[in-house]
Amino acid sequence: YKSAAVAYLNEDSSIKILNSFYNIGDNKIKIIDSISFNITDMLTFSHIVGKWTDLEFDAIIFIAPHYYYNMFIPVLEQYNMKKPVLVVSQPDIALSQSNKNQNTSDAVFFHTCNFDNKTDELEAFETKFNNKYGHFPGHIAIDAYDSMRLLAEAYRGAATAEPLKAAQEIRKIINYKGLCGTYNFND
């Protein structure tokens, strides 16, 4: 992706991640627009996406704990915005205010499921999920399914569910086929 619009939770760790995108420089990815939102004002999502309808960009970067993404998806659908969304999330810092004195990780994860570019496996999963629960799965259900399949494969390879041995096994997995893409793992 060459250009992106960014929605980010208005709090320190999300702003730090946003700044890292700006520090990459326009030769890597150009940030066309960035708009913050607050935990208490989800109506802002309509304002954000509405503002983006006249802009040209390749993808959306969503910086917030992952559970806000489920509230963002319907707004994208409402505006018929079919851009790939890169979800960048920090460990749930917003919920862990009681742990302020602990050393929190700067680790982030990306969720890059492009629901418009469906594989046969993703379509089959969505159909089964819809038949069972009466609605289509969100990204959390898809991530959980991929994660459980990955852990099962690691446990089989390690012949145990012991965390360190399973982690070693995960590092050996190359080109793991998930519902929304291919994954590789390292230390």
Side-chain angles (χ1 to χ4, degrees):
Y1 305 110
K2 299 293 183 191
S3 61
V6 181
Y8 64 96
L9 182 62
N10 191 10
E11 55 88 38
D12 290 344
S13 59
S14 293
I15 293 168
K16 183 178 178 182
I17 295 168
L18 171 68
N19 288 336
S20 70
F21 280 101
Y22 277 113
N23 292 336
I24 290 172
D26 287 348
N27 60 336
K28 299 284 184 186
I29 188 166
K30 184 174 184 166
I31 304 300
I32 300 300
D33 190 32
S34 61
I35 304 176
S36 67
F37 65 91
N38 294 313
I39 294 172
T40 56
D41 185 17
M42 293 309 144
L43 295 175
T44 305
F45 289 159
S46 292
H47 168 73
I48 292 170
V49 178
K51 183 180 176 200
W52 290 345
T53 57
D54 295 327
L55 300 178
E56 293 291 325
F57 55 93
D58 299 326
I60 295 169
I61 299 172
F62 188 80
I63 307 172
H66 57 82
Y67 39 84
Y68 293 111
Y69 184 55
N70 274 347
M71 295 176 242
F72 190 62
I73 292 171
V75 178
L76 293 176
E77 292 171 351
Q78 175 188 345
Y79 282 87
N80 199 29
M81 186 166 286
K82 296 186 176 184
K83 304 279 186 189
V85 180
L86 310 175
V87 177
V88 184
S89 181
Q90 67 281 354
D92 296 335
I93 293 171
L95 295 180
S96 61
Q97 295 301 318
S98 61
N99 298 332
K100 277 187 177 178
N101 296 330
Q102 294 179 4
N103 185 16
T104 52
S105 171
D106 286 334
V108 299
F109 71 84
F110 284 86
H111 176 270
T112 58
C113 190
N114 183 350
F115 292 95
D116 290 328
N117 185 14
K118 293 187 178 180
T119 62
D120 291 340
E121 292 83 7
L122 178 57
E123 287 187 2
F125 177 79
E126 287 180 326
T127 299
K128 288 178 185 176
F129 191 97
N130 187 36
N131 289 343
K132 183 168 184 172
Y133 299 106
H135 61 87
F136 286 96
H139 78 282
I140 294 173
I142 292 169
D143 284 345
Y145 180 78
D146 276 349
S147 297
M148 294 312 299
R149 286 181 43 227
L150 173 68
L151 284 174
E153 186 173 323
Y155 294 163
R156 276 192 298 277
T160 180
E162 195 271 314
L164 291 177
K165 290 181 181 177
Q168 290 170 342
E169 201 62 33
I170 287 173
R171 289 184 194 107
K172 295 177 190 176
I173 296 173
I174 298 172
N175 296 329
Y176 174 76
K177 300 288 184 199
L179 291 176
C180 289
T182 303
Y183 302 95
N184 288 291
F185 307 92
N186 58 31
D187 290 343

